[in-house]
């Protein structure tokens, strides 16, 4: 049964007399938001990338409850208190309610940080431009809209074509919305006024986009701060805000970027709550995949189980990145799942599966990798490689705390894995010598992990004033070299892969080949790989692991023995 609704943001006030909703995850009827698009409206209005929503009733299966009961008992208590608040985002009962206060706090943090800068000039205003709808090439079909991350961090807006402004000295917030043509009401649904969006997002003022210059002049804005900087993961530049009449103001595009990026690096307690929720949903979806997988299935069928479970039970329409569902030799393809290798292999009996998938809730990411045998039983060879990676993961998690260098954690993972690969019979010689020769990069060519937040590879890895990217071989691929601080969220993802190209190069290099037992290496060709990836929070005293999936070989086998 589908019922039309206008928005996924619930505005509930105590004055309306609406009672607190009881969170009952065993029998929950939740909302999933499905966008609709109609070309005629876009043709009537040049900036008309519009969306509408619908809701679908659904009932979660028992699997999510089985593995998440402790979390959701706490979640129920927290969400009950949130239901008294006036504004929050939710996909409906059974999904998380995200308060708009989260973004008000972020705006306040940003202003406080900017006000501490000696270079900040009087009457400075931050201006951010939200994302725009993107058509598929020259067609009238659009990709499903997902908000630009800097804009979402500050305002939490789900619609396209908005702008936002923040007066730095006072913290006063403004949203600027597009003026929809009358045809919008025919094709897309009710047209809401400025007051609706003011209540919806909890900002101080809402105006129309074509009023931006006048409103900023009235606010006595002299300097407009825009975001311009390079993302050090993609090497792509941010898009600066551009609006009609901006030539009337002096533009500073250097001051804002490092400040807002650093704010995004350190998460607030409310942001952590949403990231925990995304992790719970993804963890449960991974478990559902483990229970569903069987030899003979296609890799994409496992991907579909994850996507369905995350959306149907968790309200996560988006995933944080393209799902990686590698089985057998495909487990050694680090970014498998792309258009040229679209998770289309048939899973064979005896294959190891390496499934790297993360659901995204309200733009908040998760990133989890599980590795397990397709038939549910580890062979001795599979167990040896898996445990080498597991011990590396456990060692890193045991050592994470504030003040620790991420480079040191990467090297620790390398050392532990090499030690266990030697015990497994793949390597020979002294582990210290292996580390000096950078042998670990033959088996793990990527870094230990990365920041995570509103983007799966979140910003802030290499900011000015923090350690630069290492030039030493084996460390160049690290996505950050920073010293850990409380509130940082990262992935811990050691891996071991048997990549023919890297093995061939190592066997031809006398400095590396002396450590390899050639017969054992040959036997592992075609194995694929193992990666174990958890999402963690650096706390004041250590670490919190948000991911909750089976990790030991015994736990994995026990979970997979219960088939759906």
């Amino acid at each position: 049964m589908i019922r039309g609704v206008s928005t996924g943001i619930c505005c509930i006030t105590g004055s309306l007399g609406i009672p607190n909703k009881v969170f009952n995850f065993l029998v929950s009827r939740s909302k999933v938001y499905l966008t609709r698009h109609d070309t005629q409206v876009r043709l009537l209005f040049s900036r008309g990338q519009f969306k509408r929503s619908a809701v679908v009733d659904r009932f979660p299966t028992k699997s999510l409850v089985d593995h998440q009961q402790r979390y959701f008992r706490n979640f129920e208590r927290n969400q009950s208190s949130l239901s008294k608040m006036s504004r929050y985002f939710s996909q409906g009962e059974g999904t998380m309610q995200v308060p708009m206060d989260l973004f008000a706090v972020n705006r306040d943090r940003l202003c406080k940080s900017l006000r501490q800068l000696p270079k900040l000039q009087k009457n400075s205003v931050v201006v951010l431009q939200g994302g725009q709808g993107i058509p598929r090439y020259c067609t009238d079909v659009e990709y499903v809209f997902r908000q630009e991350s800097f804009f979402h961090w500050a305002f939490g807006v789900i619609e396209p074509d908005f702008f936002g402004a923040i007066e730095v000295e006072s913290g006063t917030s403004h949203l600027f919305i597009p003026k929809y043509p009358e045809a919008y009401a025919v094709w897309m649904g009710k047209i809401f006024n400025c007051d609706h969006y003011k209540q919806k997002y909890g900002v101080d003022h809402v105006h129309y986009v074509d009023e931006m210059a006048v409103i900023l002049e009235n606010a006595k804005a002299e300097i407009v701060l825009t975001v311009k900087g390079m993302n050090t993961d993609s090497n792509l530049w941010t898009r600066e805000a551009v609006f009609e009449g901006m030539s009337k103001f002096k533009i500073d595009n250097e001051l804002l970027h490092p400040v807002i990026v650093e704010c995004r690096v350190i998460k607030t307690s409310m942001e952590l709550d949403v990231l925990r929720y995304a992790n719970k949903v993804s963890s449960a979806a991974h478990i559902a995949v483990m229970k569903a997988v069987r030899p003979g299935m296609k890799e994409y069928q496992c991907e579909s189980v994850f996507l369905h479970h995350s959306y149907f039970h968790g309200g996560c329409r988006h995933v944080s990145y393209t799902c990686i569902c590698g089985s057998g030799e495909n487990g050694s393809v680090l970014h498998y799942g792309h258009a040229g290798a679209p998770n289309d292999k048939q899973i064979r009996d005896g294959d190891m599966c390496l499934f790297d998938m993360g659901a995204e809730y309200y733009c908040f990411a998760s990133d989890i990798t599980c590795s397990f045998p397709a038939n549910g039983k580890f062979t001795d060879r599979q167990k040896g490689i898996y445990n080498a990676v597991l011990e590396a993961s456990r060692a890193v998690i045991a050592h994470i705390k504030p003040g620790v260098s991420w480079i040191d954690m990467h090297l620790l993972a390398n050392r532990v894995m090499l030690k266990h690969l030697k015990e497994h019979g793949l390597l020979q010689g002294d582990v210290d010598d292996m580390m000096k020769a950078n042998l670990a990069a033959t088996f793990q060519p990527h870094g230990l992990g990365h920041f995570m937040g509103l983007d799966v590879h979140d910003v802030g890895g290499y900011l000015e004033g923090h350690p630069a990217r290492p030039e030493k071989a084996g460390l160049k691929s690290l996505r950050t070299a920073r010293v850990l601080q409380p509130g940082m969220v990262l992935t811990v993802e050691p891996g071991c892969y048997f990549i023919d190209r890297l093995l061939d190069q190592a066997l031809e290099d006398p400095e590396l080949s002396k450590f390899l037992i050639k017969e054992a290496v040959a036997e592992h060709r075609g194995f694929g790989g193992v990666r174990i990836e958890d999402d963690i929070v650096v706390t004041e005293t250590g670490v919190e692991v948000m991911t909750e999936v089976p990790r030991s070989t015994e736990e994995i086998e026990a979970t997979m023995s219960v088939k759906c």
Side-chain angles (χ1 to χ4, degrees):
M1 176 180 178
I2 299 179
R3 300 162 295 177
V5 296
S6 60
T7 178
I9 300 291
C10 302
C11 296
I12 298 177
T13 64
S15 62
L16 294 176
I18 300 175
N20 292 344
K21 293 185 179 180
V22 178
F23 179 80
N24 183 351
F25 207 80
L26 292 173
V27 183
S28 154
R29 302 184 70 179
S30 305
K31 297 176 183 177
V32 175
Y33 289 85
L34 306 170
T35 62
R36 305 283 183 183
H37 169 77
D38 195 285
T39 310
Q40 296 180 40
V41 177
R42 186 167 59 84
L43 294 175
L44 287 168
F45 184 42
S46 62
R47 298 197 68 191
Q49 288 87 23
F50 307 126
K51 304 285 183 285
R52 73 173 180 178
S53 300
V55 294
V56 180
D57 288 345
R58 68 186 188 279
F59 293 84
T61 62
K62 191 171 181 295
S63 62
L64 186 58
V65 180
D66 289 341
H67 298 278
Q68 315 297 328
Q69 280 184 342
R70 177 168 53 84
Y71 167 78
F72 284 117
R73 280 197 295 269
N74 295 331
F75 179 73
E76 176 183 350
R77 288 194 292 269
N78 294 337
Q79 297 300 291
S80 177
S81 63
L82 277 179
S83 65
K84 300 174 185 178
M85 301 182 65
S86 59
R87 290 173 287 268
Y88 61 84
F89 169 90
S90 175
Q91 291 283 53
E93 276 190 83
T95 65
M96 185 175 187
Q97 298 172 2
V98 183
M100 292 300 109
D101 286 350
L102 184 155
F103 307 102
V105 169
N106 282 347
R107 294 192 295 270
D108 183 61
R109 292 169 63 208
L110 177 61
C111 290
K112 287 180 178 176
S113 297
L114 287 169
R115 289 196 292 264
Q116 293 175 4
L117 299 178
K119 293 183 179 180
L120 181 73
Q121 298 186 43
K122 188 177 179 181
N123 295 330
S124 292
V125 177
V126 171
V127 174
L128 300 172
Q129 182 172 356
Q132 297 175 319
I134 302 174
R136 187 188 297 175
Y137 307 113
C138 65
T139 74
D140 56 2
V141 176
E142 290 180 2
Y143 293 103
V144 177
F145 178 73
R146 194 270 193 192
Q147 189 57 266
E148 194 277 329
S149 294
F150 282 107
F151 188 74
H152 187 84
W153 180 87
F155 292 100
V157 170
I158 60 175
E159 297 90 349
D161 300 315
F162 279 48
F163 286 77
I166 311 166
E167 299 176 38
V168 177
E169 291 178 20
S170 65
T172 301
S173 56
H174 303 260
L175 272 180
F176 298 90
I177 66 173
K179 273 186 179 177
Y180 298 124
E182 291 184 4
Y184 184 100
V186 175
W187 297 97
M188 310 305 291
K190 185 176 180 179
I191 298 175
F192 294 102
N193 59 23
C194 291
D195 187 61
H196 167 83
Y197 292 105
K198 179 181 177 181
Q199 295 300 319
K200 179 176 180 177
Y201 292 116
V203 294
D204 296 311
H205 305 284
V206 177
H207 325 271
Y208 291 106
V209 170
D210 59 9
E211 301 172 324
M212 281 188 69
V214 173
I215 297 301
L216 294 178
E217 285 181 313
N218 291 343
K220 295 181 169 50
E222 296 179 10
I223 307 294
V224 169
L225 306 178
T226 60
V227 175
K228 182 181 180 181
M230 178 181 285
N231 183 309
T232 56
D233 286 300
S234 65
N235 290 327
L236 299 176
W237 289 84
T238 60
R239 186 187 66 174
E240 290 185 74
V242 177
F243 59 93
E244 187 175 347
M246 70 181 299
S247 60
K248 299 178 181 179
F249 308 95
K250 182 178 179 181
I251 307 300
D252 184 330
N253 61 11
E254 296 180 355
L255 203 65
L256 179 58
H257 181 261
V259 176
I260 194 170
V261 166
E262 187 62 19
C263 286
R264 283 180 59 180
V265 169
I266 307 299
K267 273 62 176 180
T268 66
S269 60
M270 285 186 283
E271 288 176 310
L272 291 176
D273 282 341
V274 192
L275 291 168
R276 290 184 185 106
Y277 175 77
N279 249 267
K280 304 302 175 181
V281 172
S282 290
S283 295
H286 270 282
I287 291 169
V289 172
M290 286 184 186
K291 292 182 176 183
V293 66
R294 291 170 178 81
M297 291 177 65
K298 286 281 195 172
E299 294 163 336
Y300 65 74
Q301 292 178 300
C302 296
E303 177 184 11
S304 73
V305 171
F306 182 89
L307 296 174
H308 168 75
H309 202 282
S310 299
Y311 200 176
F312 194 88
H313 300 300
C316 296
R317 184 173 201 190
H318 296 273
V319 285
S320 305
Y321 50 94
T322 302
C323 292
I324 298 170
C325 295
S327 65
E329 63 273 17
N330 291 339
S332 66
V333 182
L334 299 180
H335 287 169
Y336 185 69
H338 58 83
N343 297 326
D344 59 352
K345 172 184 168 293
Q346 187 174 46
I347 301 170
R348 300 186 299 263
D349 192 12
D351 278 350
M352 274 294 290
C353 295
L354 188 158
F355 289 177
D356 185 342
M357 300 178 283
E360 179 182 283
Y361 186 76
Y362 195 26
C363 295
F364 287 84
S366 62
D367 186 0
I368 300 171
T369 307
C370 295
S371 300
F372 49 84
N375 60 18
K377 292 291 184 181
F378 284 89
T379 65
D380 289 342
R381 180 178 297 169
Q382 290 170 341
K383 189 176 293 187
I385 301 303
Y386 184 88
N387 284 334
V389 179
L390 180 62
E391 290 305 314
S393 173
R394 286 174 170 172
V396 169
I397 290 172
H399 283 81
I400 287 179
K401 61 182 179 181
V404 168
S405 165
W406 192 242
I407 292 178
D408 291 342
M409 294 297 95
H410 176 83
L411 295 173
L412 173 63
N414 286 171
R415 178 177 293 277
V416 172
M417 188 175 70
L418 290 173
K419 173 179 175 291
H420 283 273
L421 291 180
K422 179 181 176 181
E423 294 173 356
H424 181 61
L426 269 172
L427 307 178
Q428 60 189 355
D430 185 75
V431 173
D432 287 338
D433 293 336
M434 296 178 196
M435 290 292 294
K436 291 175 184 177
N438 189 31
L439 178 64
T442 298
F443 298 98
Q444 183 190 306
H446 60 75
L448 176 63
H450 48 81
F451 286 135
M452 189 187 78
L454 290 179
D455 292 304
V456 65
H457 294 159
D458 214 16
V459 292
Y462 292 104
L463 273 180
E464 186 176 343
H466 295 282
R469 185 182 295 275
E471 297 182 1
K472 184 179 177 181
L475 300 178
K476 291 180 180 179
S477 59
L478 282 172
R479 295 186 183 272
T480 188
R482 291 183 61 160
V483 173
L484 301 184
Q485 299 173 245
M488 287 180 170
V489 172
L490 303 102
T491 64
V492 175
E493 49 180 304
C496 180
Y497 317 90
F498 295 90
I499 303 170
D500 285 336
R501 178 179 176 85
L502 296 182
L503 294 175
D504 292 340
Q505 290 176 347
L507 288 168
E508 293 171 2
D509 185 339
E511 291 301 313
L512 297 177
S513 62
K514 63 184 179 182
F515 300 116
L516 302 177
I517 300 176
K518 296 178 177 56
E519 297 79 9
V521 170
E523 291 174 357
H524 283 77
R525 287 184 185 264
F527 177 98
V530 168
R531 180 162 63 250
I532 297 173
E533 181 176 16
D534 294 305
D535 301 337
I536 65 97
V537 184
V538 182
T539 67
E540 294 288 346
T541 57
V543 64
E544 172 196 343
V545 179
M546 295 186 288
T547 306
E548 293 185 4
V549 294
R551 283 307 188 201
S552 72
T553 57
E554 295 80 10
E555 290 170 342
I556 291 170
E557 289 182 349
T559 298
M560 295 184 70
S561 68
V562 181
K563 291 295 183 180
C564 295

